[in-house]
């Protein structure tokens, strides 16, 4: 990316102007809550689908907030005289946030999207024009180095990230800087990398306009721009994970064959993590003929790391190709060219014997355990975001189970996790249910079948009695040999702890 392409962006070294602009935006309630109040739920939701007509209709008035929404979010020029009373116009023109449009109007040079932080912070995500809301929406016809704003993948990654205080955090492939912005709230030092210098410039703008500390910005691919001895307590990455023939679009295409970029990223992260540190990734992976996808992903996990891999969605190769061809806007162009590109995607998948593509989350935790734990599962069901605390507790439970054999489990005390309900399924009037299901209303919202002993055991776990004493009491109630019950129940207890239904007291 040439310096000339950066010159079209606002200056990142004018903190005085950025601070004044931030104050002006906040003063006009140009915030996530203010936007929702102004637009209403329907128009606000339409923005996430890249549909701006409802928002345009909702901002036909002349209030400062309506004007700012048209200017920075909907890319509409506004009268210079009208904006003077709201923004430091001359300073914004001088520093590149605004440009003159016609004789008496000004226009924004970048999109600015209000974004609510997890603690109620008022943040602003800067991106290239036309990229602040929804997905790419056919942005591919523009410059291939375009920088997108906040999308569903960005918020998903932010939600699954463990948010404990750390010394050093790394946002790899920072884009518009949303992950770096989150990390800056609980990390002493944040490093952000990207192959696209335009993205690094925009990240600096996002952080400054949001009132966050500056990050160390490094240009380069994957871990290449970092010193060999640099390690981190937290690594996050929403990489260009799309599996495509070639690397046409920097913001999404990894440029390596198949899913090699995601595999390389995960494999190299292990040596960059400090003990106890977490790494969180969004990724795509190939489902290859004759190969179990879980085995494929387990082979990615670096030595010395626990891992939790969750597959959220699977698409066959035709669905996948169509999704990303539409993302690039190819379906709106020449039909022959669209068909040729579609053919190229299918040729690539056929050559690699790929039958489908999976999407999901990969979390690593650096551990000193002699035998790391790797869990790979499919979970396409709704979850409760943010999940960071659920992720942290998952690995804490792994530590507990790793250090407690069956005898230690029976000596342990447990509590039923919060908001667990029990469902019984059976014929009406039957004395006993056919099966019992425990269901979580929080976190992963799992459901698991248990037998009557398991249900009874979970129901009385309040931390006061050991697991062994509870089983002895259940054995007496049901007329079962307590020794046999103690022998067969630890496996069920272990599963209930692993999945978060029971917590060590």
């Amino acid at each position: 990316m040439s310096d000339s392409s950066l010159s079209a962006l606002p200056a990142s070294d004018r903190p005085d102007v950025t601070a004044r602009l931030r104050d002006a935006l906040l003063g006009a309630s140009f915030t996530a809550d203010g936007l929702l109040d102004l637009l209403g739920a329907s128009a606000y939701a339409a923005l996430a689908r890249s549909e701006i007509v409802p928002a345009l209709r909702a901002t036909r008035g002349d209030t400062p907030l309506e004007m700012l929404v048209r200017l920075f979010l909907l890319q509409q020029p506004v009268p210079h005289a009208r904006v003077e009373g709201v923004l430091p116009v001359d300073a914004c023109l001088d520093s590149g946030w605004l440009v003159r449009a016609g004789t008496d109007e000004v226009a924004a040079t970048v999109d600015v999207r209000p974004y609510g932080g997890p603690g109620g912070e008022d943040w602003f995500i800067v991106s290239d024009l036309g990229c602040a809301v929804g997905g790419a929406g056919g942005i591919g016809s523009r410059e291939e180095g375009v920088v997108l704003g906040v999308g569903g993948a960005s918020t998903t990654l932010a939600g699954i990230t463990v948010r404990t205080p750390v010394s050093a955090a790394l946002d790899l492939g920072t884009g518009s800087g949303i992950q770096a912005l989150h990390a800056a709230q609980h990390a002493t030092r944040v490093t952000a990398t990207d192959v696209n210098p335009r993205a690094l410039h925009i990240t600096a703008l996002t952080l400054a306009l949001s009132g966050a500390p500056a990050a160390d910005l490094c240009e380069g691919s994957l871990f290449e721009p970092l010193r060999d001895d640099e390690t981190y307590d937290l690594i996050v990455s929403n990489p260009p994970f799309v599996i495509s023939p070639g690397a046409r679009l920097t913001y999404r295409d990894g440029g390596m064959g198949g899913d090699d970029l995601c595999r390389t990223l995960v494999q190299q992260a292990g040596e960059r993590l400090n003990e106890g540190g977490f790494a969180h990734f969004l990724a795509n992976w190939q489902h290859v003929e004759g190969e179990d996808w879980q085995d494929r992903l387990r082979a990615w996990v670096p030595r010395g790391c626990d891992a939790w891999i969750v597959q959220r969605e699977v698409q066959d190769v035709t669905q996948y190709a169509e999704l990303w061809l539409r993302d690039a806007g190819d379906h709106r162009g020449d039909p022959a060219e669209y068909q040729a590109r579609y053919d190229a995607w299918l040729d690539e998948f056929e050559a690699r014997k790929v039958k489908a593509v999976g999407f999901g989350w990969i979390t690593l935790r650096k551990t000193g355990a002699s035998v790391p734990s790797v869990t790979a599962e499919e979970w396409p069901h709704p979850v409760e975001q943010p999940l960071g605390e659920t992720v942290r507790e998952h690995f804490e439970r792994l530590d507990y189970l790793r250090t407690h054999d069956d005898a230690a489990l029976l000596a342990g005390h447990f509590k039923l996790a919060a908001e667990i309900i029990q469902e019984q399924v059976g014929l009406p009037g039957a004395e006993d249910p056919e099966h019992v299901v425990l269901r979580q209303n929080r976190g992963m919202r799992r459901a698991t079948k248990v037998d009557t002993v398991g249900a009874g055991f979970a129901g009385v776990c309040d931390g006061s009695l050991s697991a062994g004493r509870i089983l002895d009491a259940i054995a007496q109630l049901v007329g079962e040999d307590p020794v046999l019950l103690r022998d067969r129940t630890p496996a069920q207890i272990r599963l209930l702890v692993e999945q978060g239904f029971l917590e060590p007291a």
Side-chain angles (χ1 to χ4, degrees):
M1 191 76 61
S2 67
D3 290 341
S4 61
S5 66
L6 297 181
S7 65
L9 294 173
S12 61
D13 58 352
R14 295 289 301 276
D16 55 329
V17 177
T18 306
R20 290 173 63 194
L21 175 57
R22 173 176 169 78
D23 289 343
L25 297 178
L26 293 175
S29 297
F30 186 66
T31 63
D33 289 341
L35 201 61
L36 181 59
D37 290 342
L38 172 67
L39 301 181
S42 179
Y44 190 82
L47 282 178
R49 302 190 299 271
S50 300
E51 297 290 350
I52 67 170
V53 172
L56 287 170
R57 293 174 61 85
T59 56
R60 289 182 291 193
D62 203 28
T63 67
L65 179 55
E66 288 170 299
M67 183 182 56
L68 291 177
V69 172
R70 291 198 301 271
L71 181 65
F72 284 116
L73 201 55
L74 305 178
Q75 299 90 57
Q76 304 298 306
V78 300
H80 183 287
R82 184 67 189 89
V83 81
E84 266 189 321
V86 181
L87 297 174
V89 178
D90 290 341
C92 287
L93 285 167
D94 180 58
S95 60
W97 287 97
L98 301 176
V99 293
R100 297 189 183 278
T103 57
D104 59 354
E105 291 184 316
V106 295
T109 58
V110 288
D111 277 354
V112 178
R113 174 178 172 177
Y115 181 88
E121 302 91 347
D122 289 316
W123 292 340
F124 301 99
I125 310 302
V126 180
S127 62
D128 272 312
L129 290 174
C131 302
V133 295
I139 196 81
S141 59
R142 305 191 181 200
E143 184 181 356
E144 64 91 24
V146 71
V147 179
L148 302 186
V150 180
S154 302
T155 54
T156 294
L157 179 59
I160 66 172
T161 300
V162 174
R163 300 295 177 191
T164 53
V166 296
S167 295
L170 171 65
D171 175 15
L172 197 151
T174 187
S176 61
I178 177 62
Q179 308 305 329
L181 182 55
H182 275 280
Q185 310 309 302
H186 61 104
T188 303
R189 179 174 63 88
V190 176
T191 300
T193 73
D194 206 290
V195 296
N196 184 359
R198 189 175 185 85
L200 296 175
H201 190 103
I202 284 179
T203 290
L205 297 175
T206 289
L207 294 172
L209 194 59
S210 298
D216 297 330
L217 304 177
C218 303
E219 181 183 344
S221 177
L222 300 179
F223 297 98
E224 291 173 3
L226 307 174
R227 296 195 319 268
D228 290 342
D229 61 346
E230 284 187 279
T231 56
Y232 302 88
D233 307 298
L234 174 67
I235 299 173
V236 292
S237 184
N238 177 17
F241 52 66
V242 176
I243 300 170
S244 63
R248 189 159 57 107
L249 301 174
T250 303
Y251 69 83
R252 69 170 207 193
D253 299 328
M256 296 186 184
D259 52 17
D260 282 356
L261 182 133
C262 290
R263 174 185 56 79
T264 301
L265 177 59
V266 173
Q267 288 180 336
Q268 293 182 356
E271 62 189 25
R272 293 290 185 170
L273 277 177
N274 294 325
E275 188 74 18
F278 285 92
H280 304 275
F281 310 102
L282 299 186
N284 276 181
W285 45 80
Q286 299 172 149
H287 284 231
V288 180
E289 291 179 18
E291 184 178 2
D292 183 89
W293 75 266
Q294 294 172 316
D295 291 340
R296 180 181 184 84
L297 270 291
R298 288 188 184 101
W300 291 10
V301 178
R303 293 173 57 186
C305 288
D306 292 326
W308 186 15
I309 301 161
V310 181
Q311 179 166 274
R312 296 288 288 159
E313 185 179 359
V314 180
Q315 291 183 315
D316 68 44
V317 291
T318 58
Q319 291 174 311
Y320 188 81
E322 290 162 15
L323 169 68
W324 294 110
L325 287 167
R326 287 180 174 273
D327 171 86
D330 292 329
H331 62 301
R332 298 173 183 161
D334 176 52
E337 187 174 349
Y338 172 79
Q339 291 177 11
R341 283 182 169 159
Y342 197 154
D343 231 5
W345 283 65
L346 297 185
D347 284 345
E348 179 85 1
F349 286 133
E350 185 177 336
R352 294 179 178 276
K353 298 183 178 180
V354 176
K355 57 185 180 179
V357 177
F359 168 81
W361 321 321
I362 300 175
T363 296
L364 306 177
R365 185 191 59 166
K366 194 67 171 287
T367 178
S370 57
V371 182
S373 170
V374 177
T375 301
E377 62 176 321
E378 186 161 13
W379 191 254
H381 311 294
V383 298
E384 182 192 43
Q385 284 276 33
L387 272 172
E389 189 64 11
T390 298
V391 172
R392 186 188 64 79
E393 291 170 350
H394 168 86
F395 287 94
E396 283 191 349
R397 293 193 301 271
L398 285 184
D399 287 341
Y400 177 87
L401 293 173
R402 195 154 38 202
T403 56
H404 287 70
D405 59 14
D406 286 357
L409 278 185
L410 293 174
H413 294 238
F414 300 93
K415 293 189 300 183
L416 189 66
E419 297 194 42
I420 303 293
I421 62 172
Q422 176 178 305
E423 300 172 355
Q424 296 185 179
V425 180
L427 294 173
E431 185 174 340
D432 295 312
E434 292 179 15
H435 61 260
V436 179
V437 174
L438 299 181
R439 188 179 301 277
Q440 302 168 346
N441 281 329
R442 304 296 302 273
M444 292 294 286
R445 292 179 172 161
R446 296 186 186 278
T448 188
K449 287 183 182 180
V450 292
D451 59 21
T452 53
V453 170
F457 178 86
V460 297
C461 278
D462 60 4
S464 60
L465 296 176
S466 70
R469 289 189 63 185
I470 293 173
L471 290 178
D472 290 345
I474 291 175
Q476 189 172 0
L477 283 173
V478 300
E480 188 168 340
D481 185 334
V483 175
L484 294 178
L485 193 60
R486 279 174 171 258
D487 282 346
R488 71 177 176 85
T489 306
Q492 192 168 189
I493 296 174
R494 193 172 291 277
L495 179 64
L496 291 174
V497 172
E498 180 182 342
Q499 294 191 342
F501 291 93
L502 293 178
E503 301 171 348

